[in-house]
Amino acid sequence: MNKPTPKRGVSLRTLQGLDADDIPAFDARPEELHNLTTVSSETLETISDVFAGTELATDEVRIRVILDTQRAVNSAWEKAARSFLEIGRALNTLENTLFSREEKNRLKASFQRFFPFSEPVASQLKRIALVVDSGRIEEGALPGSYSAAYQLSLMPPEELDVAREHGLVAPNVSRSAIIAFRKSRKREISHVDFAALSAEARRLKSTRRQMLEQLVAIRARLIEIKELLDE
C-alpha cells in the first residue's frame, strides 16, 4: 500500500513571485492565494526567517493564519490610536465648555461617575490630543498605545526632533523604547560639568556687579562735570 503523498504548502519564494492572474481557473483558492501575495515582502521574509527549517515555512494554511492575525491586530492597533486621540479631543472640548474652576474641579472629583477610566488617564489623553492638534506630532505617526503616545507628548520640541531622527515617532513604537530613549538622553545631559558651569556663573555675576559699580561711578562723575560746566 502506497503512503499518501503529504500535502505541500505554498513556499514563500513561490508566494513572492506569484501573481493572482497566473492562478489557473480550476484552482478553488484564488482569493486565499491572492491574499497571501498582497502582503509586503518584508512580512514574508520575516516569516521565512523566523520559521526557517520548520514545517510552517511551507504550510499555506498556517501562514495564512499568521497573516490574517497580523492584519487584524494592525487594524485594531490603528483604530486604538484613532480612538484615544478622539477621546482626548472630546475631553478637551468638554473642558473648554466648563468655564469656572469650580465646575472643572467637580468634574475632576467625580470623573469616573461619567467615564470608564480615571481622571489621570484623561489628563494623558488630553495632552496627547493637544500635541497632535498643535502640530508637534503628526497624527499618522502617533503610536498605537496611548501610554507610548503620552511619553512622546512629554518631550520638549528639540528632544522630539531627536526621537524622530531615531525612528521613535512612529505607529509601531513601544512605550518601553521611548522610555529607554528618554533615560539615555538624561544620561547624556548628566555628563555636563555642572561644577564648571556654576563657577562660570559666579564669575559672570561678579563681573556684572563690578560693571554696575563702575556705571554708578561714571554717572556720578558726569553729574559733577555738568555742575561745574553750568557754573
Side-chain angles (χ1 to χ4, degrees):
M1 180 176 179
N2 295 331
K3 294 183 179 179
T5 303
K7 178 182 177 182
R8 297 192 58 179
V10 180
S11 69
L12 295 179
R13 179 174 298 179
T14 302
L15 290 175
Q16 289 172 322
L18 187 62
D19 186 271
D21 293 335
D22 296 334
I23 300 174
F26 60 84
D27 195 327
R29 302 166 299 161
E31 184 176 352
E32 288 86 344
L33 290 176
H34 176 71
N35 288 337
L36 289 175
T37 60
T38 55
V39 299
S40 69
S41 59
E42 181 181 357
T43 299
L44 293 176
E45 290 171 1
T46 299
I47 294 175
S48 179
D49 180 55
V50 172
F51 297 104
T54 69
E55 293 181 357
L56 190 148
T58 56
D59 189 328
E60 173 199 334
V61 174
R62 289 194 288 169
I63 290 175
R64 184 167 62 247
V65 171
I66 292 176
L67 298 177
D68 288 345
T69 303
Q70 183 189 50
R71 291 191 191 95
V73 171
N74 288 343
S75 177
W77 194 258
E78 293 173 0
K79 290 178 181 178
R82 290 194 297 270
S83 296
F84 69 69
L85 178 60
E86 290 306 315
I87 291 172
R89 284 169 169 165
L91 292 174
N92 284 332
T93 299
L94 174 62
E95 186 167 308
N96 292 333
T97 305
L98 304 177
F99 297 105
S100 71
R101 181 176 295 276
E102 180 183 0
E103 292 171 343
K104 293 180 181 180
N105 288 339
R106 289 194 180 193
L107 177 63
K108 184 176 181 178
S110 305
F111 194 85
Q112 286 186 275
R113 297 177 65 180
F114 292 94
F115 304 105
F117 46 85
S118 65
E119 198 281 331
V121 171
S123 296
Q124 295 182 19
L125 298 179
K126 289 188 291 184
R127 181 177 179 87
I128 294 168
L130 285 175
V131 297
V132 170
D133 291 339
S134 67
R136 285 177 53 194
I137 299 177
E138 302 81 1
E139 182 173 341
L142 202 64
S145 162
Y146 88 85
S147 59
Y150 177 66
Q151 289 296 322
L152 285 180
S153 73
L154 296 175
M155 295 184 186
E158 60 276 7
E159 187 176 20
L160 195 59
D161 289 339
V162 177
R164 193 173 282 107
E165 292 174 0
H166 284 73
L168 292 174
V169 184
N172 60 346
V173 71
S174 66
R175 176 177 178 272
S176 59
I178 298 173
I179 290 178
F181 167 77
R182 298 189 69 200
K183 287 181 177 179
S184 68
R185 292 283 295 174
K186 287 181 180 179
R187 286 195 294 270
E188 292 175 5
I189 295 174
S190 66
H191 293 161
V192 175
D193 192 342
F194 289 102
L197 290 177
S198 298
E200 183 181 1
R202 288 194 296 271
R203 289 195 301 271
L204 292 174
K205 289 179 181 179
S206 177
T207 302
R208 182 180 62 182
R209 183 172 60 253
Q210 294 173 6
M211 294 177 67
L212 288 173
E213 292 173 352
Q214 291 176 2
L215 182 59
V216 170
I218 291 172
R219 287 177 176 174
R221 181 56 180 163
L222 286 174
I223 292 175
E224 292 177 358
I225 293 173
K226 184 177 184 302
E227 291 176 350
L228 291 173
L229 290 176
D230 290 343
E231 292 177 359

